Amino acid sequence: MEMKFDLKLLKYVFFVLLGIGNAFDFELINNSVIISGENFYSENPFFGGMNKPKVQWVDWNSDGLIDLFLLDEDKKLKYFQNIGTENNAQFELNQTSFQHINCENWFYFADFDNDSEFELMAQSTQNSMQISYYENNNGELEVLTLGILDGNGALVLGESVVTPTFTDIDNDGDLDFFTGSVLGTVSYYENIGFNNNIPLFEFQTNDWQDILIIGQSQTENRHGANAINFIDLDGDMDLDLAWGDSYNQSLYIVWNIGTVENPIMDNINITNQFPPQPYSIETSGQNMASFVDIDTDGDIDLFISVLGGSFGIQNKNNFYHFENVGNNNNPLFVEIGRNYLNMLDFEDKTSPEFADLDGDGDDDLIIGNSFETISFPWNARLKYLENIGSQENPEYEIIDSAFLGSLIGKELTPVFIDIDNDGDLDFFSGETYGGILFSENIGNQYNFEFSNIIAFDGIDVGYNSVPEFVDIDNDNDFDLIIGNSEGNLFFYENIGSSFNSEYILVSENYLDINVLNYSSPDFFDIDNDGDFDLMIGSGDLGLNYYENIGSINIPLFVEIENTLDLGTNLKPALKQSSYGIIDAYVGNTLGGIYHLQFSSCGGGDLNNDLLIDINDIILVVNIILGNETSEDLICNADVNSDELVNIIDILKILSSILF
C-alpha cells in the first residue's frame, strides 16, 4: 500500500514539537499611534475603553510610584503601571487580565498579613456573596479560599451588587470588612486574626452606626446598589465614609464625629452632594470614589468612576479626576477631566476595520460600535478616522463620528471591499439581527460617495453577524465568511465573478470551527507563507488563531494556543504596517481598542521547501556574510525574533535538525 504524507502537516507537527516556527508572540502596544480630532488628542489611545470601572491605586512593583488597577464589566483586572515620575504620573497598560485572575465584580489589594506584600480579596467565583482570598508568593497571587469564614465557621457575606471595602476602623493594626446593602445600611465584620494564613473576621452588625442612606430617584426615595470607601476627608485623623449610591448622581459623605479608635457616625452629619458647588458632579449614578495623592503635592486628590445607576447609561467619560487645590484639612476638589486615562472609547462593542477610503496609499480606520445614547433610537455609529500619517507611521484624525448616518442599525461590524471590481471600496456591515448591510461606492477610489444602505443578498445568519470577505479558494473573487452569536462561521461561496458576485450558502459551520459565541473572523497571512490564516475574536474565549496548514486553494486550519486574555466580545482587524510586522487592532465590549503587534518572521524554512535542513543554514550564513539581501529570506532567518540574523539563529535551526 502506498503511503502519502502531507508535508505541510508534518512540518507543522515538527515545528510545534521543537518550538520553532508557528510562534504567535505578540506585544501589547501602548503609545505607537496618535489619535486626534473632535476635541480629543491622545498618544495612548489603545487602553481598551471602560464602561463600569472599579479602581484602586497600589504601588504594585514597589518602585515608589503609584500604579492603577481597574476592573470592568468584562471581569478582567487591568494593571496600569506608572512609568512616569514622582510628580507626573504616566500610565502604561501592562496586563489586560492581571495574572488571569477572575475577580468577578470587585477586588481589593492590601497587605493583610503584614509581610510587606499585597494580598488580594475579591468577589468569589463560587458565589457572588462570598469572598475569595489570594496570598502573595513573591509576586504571584495564589487562591487560598473561595469563601472566607468568620470565627464561628460561617461564611463572611456581602451583597452581590455592592462594592465593599476594607479599613482599620478601630486603629488596632488590621483591616476590617465593611459592605453596604441595597437597604442603605452598612454591615461590619471585625478582623480578629488569622486561621490557616487566611484573615479571620467576626460578624458585628448589619446596621453599623445606624447609618441609613436613602437616595433620591426621580419620583420617590429609593435604596440602591452602592460603592463605599473610607477616607479622612477633613484632616482630623479619623475615617469618614464616602458612599456612591445608585440613586445619587453625586456622592454622600458620612462624617465621623468620633475618634480614630471609636468612630461616631449618624444620619445627621451627612453631606448629600460631594464635591460641593461649584465643582459638584452629576453622573448616571452609583459613583465610586477613590483617593490618592496623584501629583505628590501633600494632599489627596479625588477620582470618581461611574458604575451606573438609575439615571441612565454612561459608558464613556466616566473616570473623573478632581485635583485638590486646597489641603487635607480643607480640601477643595476641582474637576480636571472625565477621561483620566485619555483613551479611545466609543461606548460599547467596538469593531475596527482598515480601509484606504481616500486612495492615498495608507489605511484609514473605521470603527463600528453597538449603540449610542446621544439620540433616540439608540443606534450604533460608524467612526471614520483618516490616516493623516503614513502606512508605516500612522496618525489618525477623527473626521466623522456618524459616518454614513445615525440610522444604520445596531452592533455594526464594518468591512470595505471592491465587490464590483470598479476600483473603489464598497461598504458592508454586520448588524444585530444577522443580516448584511450593503452600500455601493458610486464615487471613485479617491472621493467616496455611498448609495443608500440596503440588505445584501437576503443573507441571515441568526444574530450578530460579522462578515469577512476573502478569496478562500483562490479563484479570483471574494467569498464571504460570517461569524454569528453562536460562535459559528457561515461560508458563502462566490460562484459569480469579481465583477458580478453571486453567493450560495455552503456551510453553516465552516470547517467545524466554533468559538462558542460571538465569532468575529479576520483572514490574513499571519505566518508569511503565502496562504490565508484565520484569527477569530469571540465572546468569552479571547482571540483564537488558526494557522492554515493546507494551501491557498484548499485551506486546512489548525488552532494555535495563545495566552493573551483581552476581554470579551473581541473583534480583530489585521494589517501589515511594514515588512514582517503585523498590526492587530482589537475592539471589545468596553468600547475601546487594543493594539497588538507581532512578527511574521522566524519560520526557519528560508527556501520554502517545507524542510528545515542544511540548505537553510547555508542561506543564513550568506545573509550574515552579506551575500543574501532578500527581505523574505532575512525575515524567515530571524528564528528567535530579535530583529537580528546571527549565530544564535544558526544554532536554533541546527538544534531543530539534530533533535
Side-chain angles (χ1 to χ4, degrees), residues 461-464 483-488 490 514-519:
V461 299
Y463 289 94
N464 303 105
N484 74 349
S485 62
E486 295 183 353
N488 295 326
F490 281 64
N514 183 276
V515 293
L516 297 185
N517 53 26
Y518 295 99
S519 48

Side-chain angles (χ1 to χ4, degrees), residues 395-504:
E395 179 179 345
Y396 296 105
E397 182 178 0
I398 304 172
I399 300 297
D400 191 346
S401 286
F403 185 55
L404 302 185
S406 60
L407 300 175
I408 302 173
K410 293 183 174 65
E411 302 202 55
L412 299 179
T413 56
V415 60
F416 292 82
I417 56 120
D418 185 3
I419 193 64
D420 48 13
N421 206 14
D422 64 351
D424 54 39
L425 296 175
D426 306 296
F427 165 72
F428 294 83
S429 179
E431 49 87 40
T432 299
Y433 301 107
I436 303 297
L437 305 175
F438 167 62
S439 176
E440 182 184 357
N441 188 346
I442 56 177
N444 56 54
Q445 71 177 101
Y446 304 106
N447 296 286
F448 54 79
E449 181 183 351
F450 291 97
S451 62
N452 291 334
I453 298 173
I454 60 174
F456 181 70
D457 235 19
I459 290 174
D460 185 353
V461 299
Y463 289 94
N464 303 105
S465 50
V466 183
E468 176 68 10
F469 289 86
V470 60
D471 184 8
I472 200 65
D473 50 12
N474 197 35
D475 63 352
N476 296 314
D477 56 36
F478 286 112
D479 305 300
L480 176 57
I481 295 178
I482 310 172
N484 74 349
S485 62
E486 295 183 353
N488 295 326
L489 296 179
F490 281 64
F491 173 39
Y492 288 83
E493 183 181 359
N494 187 350
I495 61 173
S497 68
S498 61
F499 296 92
N500 294 288
S501 61
E502 181 182 350
Y503 290 95
I504 60 168

Side-chain angles (χ1 to χ4, degrees), residues 565-595:
D565 191 353
L566 293 173
T568 57
N569 287 304
L570 303 180
K571 294 181 172 62
L574 285 80
K575 71 168 185 173
Q576 182 166 310
S577 58
S578 59
Y579 190 83
I581 300 298
I582 296 174
D583 289 290
Y585 284 14
V586 184
N588 62 38
T589 198
L590 303 178
I593 294 176
Y594 295 116
H595 180 192

Side-chain angles (χ1 to χ4, degrees), residues 27 581 597 599 634 638-646 649:
E27 180 183 0
I581 300 298
Q597 194 172 82
S599 173
I634 295 172
D638 183 16
V639 176
N640 65 342
S641 300
D642 64 353
E643 300 183 4
L644 298 171
V645 178
N646 53 31
D649 300 297

